[in-house]
Amino acid sequence: MSELTPPTPPPVDPGAEPPAGPAVGRDEWVAREGERRAARHPWIGTVEGRLRRVPWWAWLTLFVAAGALMPAFESSGYVRLVAFETVIYMVLALGLNLIVGWAGLLDLGYIAYFGVGSYVYAIFDSPKFGFHVPTIVLIPAATIIGALVGLCVGLPSRRLSGDYLAIMTLFFLELFETVATNGNQIFGHNITGGSFGISNVSPLSFFGHRLAVEHQGIFAVSYYYIAIVMFVIIFVTLRFANLSRTGRAWRSLREDTLAAEVMGMPVNWLKLLSFATGAGVAALAGTVTTALNASVYPLNFSPVVMITIYAMVILGGIGSQWGAVLGAILISVLLQVLQNPGQARALFYLGVIVGVIAMFRFSLRLAAVVAATAVFGVVVHAVAASYHHSWVDGAHGGVAGVLGDWVVVPVQLAPWVGQVAYLLLLIGMLCVTQLRGWLRIVALPPTLYLAGFVWENLMIPNPGPARYIILGLLLIVLMIVRPNGLLGERRVEIT
Amino acid sequence: MKKGIGIALVALIATVAAASAQGAHRQLQTASAAGVSCNSTLKLAMVTPITGGAGFLGTEQLSWAKYAVATLPKTMGLKVQLLQGDTPVEQGAAPALTLAQKYAADPSVVGIIGPSTSGDAEASAQIYYHAGIAQISPSATDIPLTYTVNGKKLGTPAFFRDVPANNIEGPTIAAYITNKLKAKNVVVFDFQEPYSQGLASSISGYLTKHSVNVSHLSAPNTTTDYSAYVTKVPSNTDVVVFPTQQPPAAQTFAEQLVEQGKKAVVFGGDGADAPAQFNHAGDYVANFAPDISGIPSDAGIVAGWQKANPTMTLGSFGPPTYGAVQLMLNAIKIACAKDHGVLKRADVYRNMKKVTIKNWILGGTFKWSTKTNDPLNAHFFIFQIQSNGKYKLVNN
Amino acid sequence: MQFFIQLTLDGLTVGSVYALVALGYTLIYGVLKLLNFAHGDVFMVGSFIGYGVLQALGGASDPMVPVWLLLLLVTGAAMVGCSVLGVVIERFAYRPLRDAPRIAPLISALGVSFFLANSMQLLFGAQQFNYASYNLSGGALYFRGFDLDGVHVPLLRIITIGAAVVLMVILWFLVNHTRTGKAMRATSFDREAASMLGIDIDHVIVFTFVLGSALAGAAGVMFALRVPTFAAVGFTTGLKGFTAAVIGGIGSIPGAMVGGILLGCAESYTAGYWTTAWSDLVVFTILILFMIFRPRGLFGRVDIRKV
């Protein structure tokens, strides 16, 4: 007898995750493992369900309140300034998330719009040409000009897709850089100040009253609050844009452009709109930043900054607003932390411990690895010390106390030792990812020790390149382990 | 999604924990920091581009600053730690401002070596001045930092530099080209960045005023192969002014001139000064100091630095950094004596002008100018490269 | 006329290096559909490896072996070293992302680029350094050569252009007249169909990376023989090589060769005949116009998608 009724779907626990969707190459049963685990612990499921029902604006209010209260606890101008920069990064990441995450367009020239906003503000509110347009007028004007530039970049690019679009936008960025650097010779007129940039840019002014950038040398916290206000406006606006028809149209554009076009979506217009909006957001961020820095230089808008913002959006999860915010905070703080030796050291050891725990969970193997690493280190240190005391006497600061007997820190590190150690460390790390079982357990302690050695002797004394090495590694590992970032949704790409 | 939030929380907590690991500076930041004991470890911070396009400048200066901090304080009875702040040129003035806030908030930071680039120096001068911290820059040569130009001065009483400003190098080079080399046709290069553009315009201006035929070539900063530019140099050119900051580029340019049969002589600025790398016979180099490996009293210093940095070559940006540290330490010593062992930051810059140093690393005796915060009687030296690759002083 | 010939010579020399780098981009894009942003840094590592071998063999002023052998060894070492590096990068940074969304390997490539450039800076410093090939056998590389209508063509340029031509010919032979080359072409045409026909995709991809990275290594040595190299040179030269590949049509081997030469000549003609300051601007405008009116480049295939 044939079945006339379709089989009933399994009961869905309201507190569980929505189905993750079939990931490429994954079995559906495996993909739904998360749901089943949630269903086994009903109270976690209920808590999570309740949390999920909290409206997004409540989360936003909580977050903004926490941010706004921060200066009450931290009076250091340095921390406040870093917080300001982080908020600017958050705004930039939100704008990039719109173009890359929601509309699916790979824009490698995004930072040029940031530059346009900065330059417009600098040209019209500085002694350069003598213009002093009030901020109330200038900031919206700069935003609109930025959006127009985004439109101009989008116009020739609308027929391109994927990689070609990326190439085109990268060229536009280089073009912007060249024009900005040579802008002091445009038909004999000095418009952008050339490679010297524009300096002495006036601070923000409201109703004739100039908002000082610093009081007695300390960063003026009013700029931080202005940045927060800007962030809230952008976040809410983009949120509504995403929930609207345009947002849904963008999503269709991202998923399958051809299908969207066949369905009648105005694909070109949508692309232009996303470019323009993202560009406007970036230009807005540029104006306030320039007001604070009181200067603008063409080198501010280089591909390195571009890649940093991409890293933020990707780390947080492409397509997720909160992901962009989280990514911006993490990377901004990470880059600052890695500049200070003490904090960098703490971060490294924390990271190693967390990584090892993630690899082995709490088990006998974990204990074995930790013990073996400690013993290995002490033995190597003792051997080196017995050779000659200058091999281990280089430690000072936080190391000497806790880890002095573990890490070998020579007084004078011969360059070849550092180079060989680095190379060995790379080989070791690559091997560890390949080995399984007890081979991995054996290979880990020397590799971990080498990592500590390289960190202490090479990376901490050179925080500049070390930061970007960590960032590069982070990007690679992130893409392999979790390509949809921390808060992103897993997507299936149909090629 | 849940796993993602979990990982995110762990990462956030980890970074925040690390950020507060070193013991946050919970003291209220005040404009004039309270005193710090001269027997404790004082901190000097070096603000320079260690990574990025100008990384070569920062790494060289940093190596000399580290060497100075490792060798000098113990001879003066001080304990000093060197902090390093990276200001990549790709990020503009923002890192300099952030670092200024950071160091202003740390009461044991009593001096800044740097900022190395003029843009960063101008951006952060007011913050340091209000916090009362002295700065000595070994390479920020923009004129308004210590002079009043068109009614505005971008420097402060707390900003010093131990190298002469841009208003001296250009005219010195141009005068030598006009009077000694008697050149009639000169090509001036710039690399679309402030150092070379400032120097190029200063030299061109002088030359044009003295009826020398000047043509201008501008190369993007990222250029590596100058062959097309060499082709463009007219064959009747006598001198090519090449204000690069990379000595190997000057060497390659000179070799390519020979390759294409042009007889022009290359004239480099202080950025091209490096006998190990730019040693093409017949060319010229200008510098604010003679090659310190030729100064007998510096032999020990050079040997010690080379031993500590075996892979680096002696350049021109490093020794003034050593000198800056030396000046700063001397000023600290004077201020410590005046403050009876409890050093107040502002006293360092207030007593800076009292410092004189015999056997100055760049030769002679160092004294501050009475009118500006620049060295007294700073002038530039011109060297000609001999056939054995050595530099010979030709304008004194 | 002499001016023109000299500029053309300059363009050819510079263009040969761009062409070699562009070939690597094109090969890898053809097979993996991936813009390998790390390729420029592989080129940079090649120049560093070459320098290391050069110094180990006594340096340019006092080499232990005859000049021709020295150059061969240096180039060979750089090619081998870069091939190994390319294979390692592919194995660890790109292979796990074979089936991921298109943006993932792209970001991974950016991460590798950051990692390589800054690692080199960490280990060897940020300063520029020279091979000092001027000193090789008393400047023979610069002074010996032949004259072409009054323009001196030195040995070094002959070597650079010649090596590029030889390598391209070898590559052409490998791609068009061997079985693996045929497998490579098949994979670049349609990867799924090729795997269904029994071609081992992993082998083909590794082979492609070996070829492309070896070319980048050779380019690195050719480059550093003439101009100074440094840790950060990978990005700008990579961008130029990548531009050349795009002009010629990404995915097309003759396109990469022609694109490289064209780009080199465009740069030198712009600098020579117009103004040097805006030469970058002209080049980028040409590129943008190309992208608007002929995105597939000179020799590229039109991508027809069937739905």
Side-chain angles (χ1 to χ4, degrees), chain C residues 54-126:
Chain C
L54 180 70
Q55 296 305 105
L57 289 175
S61 316
D62 195 14
M64 296 192 237
V65 294
V67 175
W68 62 268
L69 184 60
L70 183 72
L71 288 176
L72 266 176
L73 283 176
V74 164
T75 315
M79 287 173 78
V80 166
C82 284
S83 303
V84 170
L85 180 64
V87 168
V88 167
I89 292 177
E90 191 275 325
R91 175 75 186 76
F92 290 100
Y94 300 151
R95 194 179 294 192
L97 300 171
R98 201 70 74 70
D99 295 317
R102 289 274 282 274
I103 194 177
L106 202 69
I107 302 296
S108 186
L110 282 172
V112 173
S113 167
F114 252 43
F115 177 77
L116 278 178
N118 284 288
S119 295
M120 285 293 144
Q121 184 178 346
L122 187 75
L123 296 177
F124 301 104

Side-chain angles (χ1 to χ4, degrees), chain A residues 84-95 110-111 113-119 121 139 142-143 146 204 223 226-227 230-231 234 277-293 301 309:
Chain A
F84 170 84
E85 283 176 8
T86 310
V87 175
I88 296 286
Y89 278 133
M90 278 164 22
V91 172
L92 281 172
L94 284 176
Y110 181 70
I111 208 78
Y113 315 129
F114 182 62
V116 166
S118 303
Y119 267 102
Y121 185 87
I139 289 193
T143 313
L204 299 177
Y223 274 80
I226 293 177
M230 192 171 70
F231 165 71
I234 298 289
T277 319
V281 170
L284 178 62
T287 53
V288 178
T289 314
T290 309
L292 181 76
N293 288 344
F301 317 108
I309 303 189

Side-chain angles (χ1 to χ4, degrees), chain B residues 345-361:
Chain B
R345 273 172 174 172
D347 285 337
V348 176
Y349 77 77
R350 288 192 197 125
N351 288 296
M352 182 67 74
K353 289 279 192 94
K354 299 199 180 99
V355 176
T356 51
I357 298 189
K358 293 205 197 3
N359 292 327
W360 172 239
I361 186 171

Side-chain angles (χ1 to χ4, degrees), chain A residues 106-405:
Chain A
L106 199 56
D107 185 355
L108 286 179
Y110 181 70
I111 208 78
Y113 315 129
F114 182 62
V116 166
S118 303
Y119 267 102
V120 166
Y121 185 87
I123 290 176
F124 287 105
D125 200 1
S126 71
K128 184 158 184 61
F129 293 111
F131 295 127
H132 284 287
V133 180
T135 308
I136 301 279
V137 172
L138 187 54
I139 289 193
T143 313
I144 294 175
I145 295 179
L148 284 175
V149 171
L151 203 69
C152 290
V153 172
L155 273 172
S157 323
R158 61 191 190 284
R159 287 195 302 147
L160 303 173
S161 60
D163 303 321
Y164 292 113
L165 183 66
I167 297 168
M168 174 77 139
T169 45
L170 188 62
F171 289 156
F172 258 109
L173 176 61
E174 296 289 328
L175 191 70
F176 172 78
E177 286 248 11
T178 314
V179 169
T181 313
N182 289 319
N184 54 349
Q185 300 157 34
I186 303 181
F187 305 116
H189 294 292
N190 185 347
I191 300 183
T192 68
S195 66
F196 298 99
I198 303 177
S199 39
N200 275 350
V201 177
S202 322
L204 299 177
S205 70
F206 294 105
F207 312 110
H209 178 67
R210 290 254 170 230
L211 209 59
V213 168
E214 39 100 14
H215 299 295
Q216 313 233 292
I218 306 174
F219 165 70
V221 79
S222 44
Y223 274 80
Y224 174 60
Y225 288 122
I226 293 177
I228 290 188
V229 165
M230 192 171 70
F231 165 71
V232 168
I233 296 175
I234 298 289
F235 191 95
V236 169
T237 314
L238 291 184
R239 186 86 186 183
F240 282 129
N242 195 25
L243 292 173
S244 73
R245 245 171 46 169
T246 320
R248 291 194 287 273
W250 278 334
R251 269 196 291 284
S252 73
L253 185 70
R254 176 187 75 191
E255 294 302 332
D256 193 335
T257 315
L258 203 54
E261 194 161 0
V262 165
M263 288 288 159
M265 296 280 173
V267 162
N268 285 344
W269 159 240
L270 284 170
K271 279 189 185 179
L272 289 176
L273 188 63
S274 79
F275 264 107
T277 319
V281 170
L284 178 62
T287 53
V288 178
T289 314
T290 309
L292 181 76
N293 288 344
S295 64
V296 62
Y297 297 101
L299 280 177
N300 288 14
F301 317 108
S302 65
V304 172
V305 187
M306 180 80 256
I307 293 174
T308 315
I309 303 189
Y310 259 92
M312 293 173 184
V313 173
I314 287 164
L315 174 63
I318 306 179
S320 158
Q321 274 198 308
W322 282 116
V325 168
L326 182 67
I329 296 178
L330 281 179
I331 292 202
S332 177
V333 171
L334 184 77
L335 287 177
Q336 285 297 330
V337 163
L338 285 175
Q339 283 237 21
N340 308 324
Q343 296 172 352
R345 193 173 283 130
L347 187 67
F348 172 73
Y349 289 115
L350 259 170
V352 164
I353 292 174
V354 167
V356 168
I357 292 180
M359 205 187 291
F360 292 115
R361 303 293 143 92
F362 289 104
S363 67
L364 207 57
R365 287 175 293 169
L366 176 71
V369 166
V370 171
T373 315
V375 167
F376 187 89
V378 170
V379 165
V380 169
H381 186 95
V383 165
S386 69
Y387 230 71
H388 194 280
H389 71 92
S390 77
W391 281 32
V392 297
D393 270 350
H396 53 79
V399 180
V402 179
L403 298 155
D405 289 330

